[in-house]
Amino acid sequence: MAILITGGCGYIGSHTCIEMLAAGYDIVVIDNFYNSKPEALNRVKELSGKDFPFYECDIRDEEGLRKVFSENKIDAVIHFAGLKAVGESVEKPLEYYDNNVYGTLVMYRVMKEFGCKRIVFSSSATVYGGVNPSPLKEDMPTGAVTNPYGRTKYVLEEILKDFCVSDPAFSAVLLRYFNPVGAHESGRIGEDPNGIPNNLMPFLLQVAIGKREKLSVFGNDYDTHDGTGVRDYIHVVDLARGHVKAVEYAMKNVGAQPINLGTGVGYSVLDIVKAFEKVNGVPVPYVIAPRRAGDIATCFSDPAKAAELLGWKAELTLEDMCRDSWRWQSGNPQGYDS
Ligand code: NAD
Ligand code: UFG
């Protein structure tokens, strides 16, 4: 029995490989290195002490996928592969629909051909849009998304629900991630963004290490405890462990199940800056800048369904997130090229 991990060289995928191997699963990884480097895989092997098959393969390559499925007995797929930059998706919608939506359809076709009926899919809290109040619950309406990236996640959730209706033996666990941050406690794997980071923690890390002068805090006039945006930051290792539980759960006949992976606690941008400075003793110069278009004031999860169905809850603290992020950044100032 093996679990196929698409996009397994990426940020969340590499951490999930480690946790799946630690839980005793055999894994097979595919990635096209669009947003990752082979060195991540070397480090996963080094940290886990285990080897596993890897295929440099695009999820849109049907023949390539057939080869993977015919050479391995794949019982379930954890599907991370996809493009994820919100701003880029507005400029390049075709690439996002092609890669994320078409790619997943190709993969489903091959899964079907080989009788593989279990998928754990990387969705996002973005499917809730800006219309629902936090804490966000899985039964709230979805689809009021504001960019093509978010639309690919929403559409793929709906498509996977349709597949489950058409084949009652097909299970799809739709994991809605909140804001993943942090890195493996070894400091050997972590997030290695290309270009100027969009997300808060990778940008903050580049300021802390002196690559960038200061952090722009996007707005301090939101209706939150200090005026800055509030999010549900979750340690990537907790998130990865959620996938181990989700695979176990998907093995039962569960149909399509959206499940939040968050902590249930919201922190503001300034909470993050202060916690980071305190935990690591490193200053993070910042300025207050205008609000960023498309941002909402507050977004955090109700994590009860994950606890009930998966027996999972986030355990690592904000201090762990800040400490582990900094260990990765300071030990690998150029990411995997260090
Ligand atoms: P990432 O970019 O680090 O990892 C994605 C991996 O998929 C990369 O290694 C990339 O090279 C690979 N990939 C992309 N397109 C591919 C294709 N066509 N064929 C094969 N491989 C391909 O991103 P991540 O942060 O690890 O995110 C993983 C998943 O989780 C994505 O689907 C993302 O949309 C979703 N997600 C991420 C966040 C976040 O904040 N990081 C939040 C919500 C959801
Ligand atoms: N922020 C700053 N300065 C920065 C970057 C971010 O102040 O340089 C603020 C934002 O305004 C927001 C908070 O930090 O208040 C978090 O912003 P991120 O860009 O890190 O994350 P978002 O919540 O905007 O978006 C993330 C993912 C999306 C996903 C969404 C919901 O990037 O892919 O969470 O899950 F859709």
Side-chain angles (χ1 to χ4, degrees):
M1 166 164 148
I3 309 299
L4 176 63
I5 304 186
T6 77
C9 300
Y11 172 46
I12 305 171
S14 55
H15 289 84
T16 301
C17 289
I18 304 248
E19 297 303 322
M20 289 293 290
L21 290 166
Y25 283 97
D26 288 329
I27 62 169
V28 175
V29 175
I30 67 171
D31 204 297
N32 66 357
F33 296 126
Y34 177 85
N35 195 35
S36 54
K37 307 218 170 76
E39 178 59 14
L41 273 187
N42 298 336
R43 296 193 186 183
V44 167
K45 291 181 180 176
E46 162 203 307
L47 289 169
S48 64
K50 292 185 178 166
D51 202 2
F52 48 84
F54 170 74
Y55 295 80
E56 185 170 346
C57 175
D58 194 297
I59 53 166
R60 291 163 294 185
D61 172 4
E62 195 160 336
E63 272 315 304
L65 285 181
R66 282 212 182 90
K67 182 171 155 63
V68 174
F69 276 80
S70 55
E71 291 181 358
N72 303 276
K73 165 91 184 67
I74 304 294
D75 295 283
V77 176
I78 305 181
H79 182 31
F80 293 108
L83 307 183
K84 63 163 183 175
V86 172
E88 184 186 62
S89 78
V90 176
E91 287 153 31
K92 302 179 179 172
L94 177 60
E95 276 85 339
Y96 275 69
Y97 291 120
D98 184 59
N99 198 74
N100 294 8
V101 180
Y102 171 69
T104 302
L105 295 182
V106 173
M107 207 184 60
Y108 177 71
R109 196 152 46 226
V110 177
M111 286 174 69
K112 201 167 175 214
E113 187 181 321
F114 284 83
C116 177
K117 291 174 184 275
R118 316 277 178 221
I119 189 166
V120 173
F121 171 63
S122 296
S123 187
S124 166
T126 198
V127 300
Y128 290 111
V131 293
N132 295 296
S134 290
L136 295 161
K137 290 178 191 286
E138 291 83 350
D139 57 4
M140 286 177 169
T142 55
V145 289
T146 51
N147 56 71
Y149 165 72
R151 201 158 290 114
T152 68
K153 294 297 179 192
Y154 170 69
V155 165
L156 283 169
E157 282 201 1
E158 296 303 301
I159 290 174
L160 287 165
K161 288 176 193 169
D162 290 340
F163 292 161
C164 290
V165 171
S166 75
D167 179 355
F170 190 73
S171 293
V173 182
L174 314 170
L175 295 179
R176 295 178 179 162
Y177 310 154
F178 282 70
N179 290 56
V181 295
H184 191 263
E185 63 170 0
S186 64
R188 296 289 290 156
I189 59 170
E191 186 167 16
D192 183 12
N194 280 329
I196 303 173
N198 287 308
N199 296 122
L200 177 62
M201 187 58 93
F203 199 102
L204 183 158
L205 290 169
Q206 294 198 357
V207 173
I209 203 146
K211 249 193 217 176
R212 303 191 188 276
E213 201 190 328
K214 51 187 179 291
L215 172 73
S216 294
V217 174
F218 298 140
N220 67 348
D221 55 353
Y222 286 108
D223 183 17
T224 61
H225 63 273
D226 61 15
T228 66
V230 165
R231 296 290 182 274
D232 186 340
Y233 297 93
I234 173 167
H235 197 297
V236 66
V237 171
D238 270 334
L239 195 72
R241 290 176 182 152
H243 289 73
V244 177
K245 298 290 190 182
V247 167
E248 280 169 25
Y249 181 66
M251 291 306 177
K252 305 170 196 160
N253 261 12
V254 296
Q257 282 291 352
I259 301 180
N260 290 337
L261 290 186
T263 65
V265 179
Y267 290 108
S268 73
V269 178
L270 291 181
D271 289 338
I272 300 292
V273 171
K274 284 180 202 149
F276 185 92
E277 290 181 324
K278 184 164 174 233
V279 170
N280 297 311
V282 181
V284 180
Y286 68 85
V287 287
I288 303 297
R291 289 181 177 195
R292 183 173 65 178
D295 275 356
I296 53 174
T298 301
C299 171
F300 63 91
S301 67
D302 178 337
K305 189 173 176 186
E308 186 194 330
L309 297 187
L310 307 182
W312 169 93
K313 70 181 182 47
E315 284 169 354
L316 297 166
T317 63
L318 179 59
E319 285 68 32
D320 296 322
M321 300 179 211
C322 292
R323 192 196 52 237
D324 293 339
S325 297
W326 182 237
R327 189 182 292 115
W328 156 253
Q329 178 70 63
S330 52
N332 306 268
Q334 307 303 328
Y336 287 112
D337 292 331
S338 301

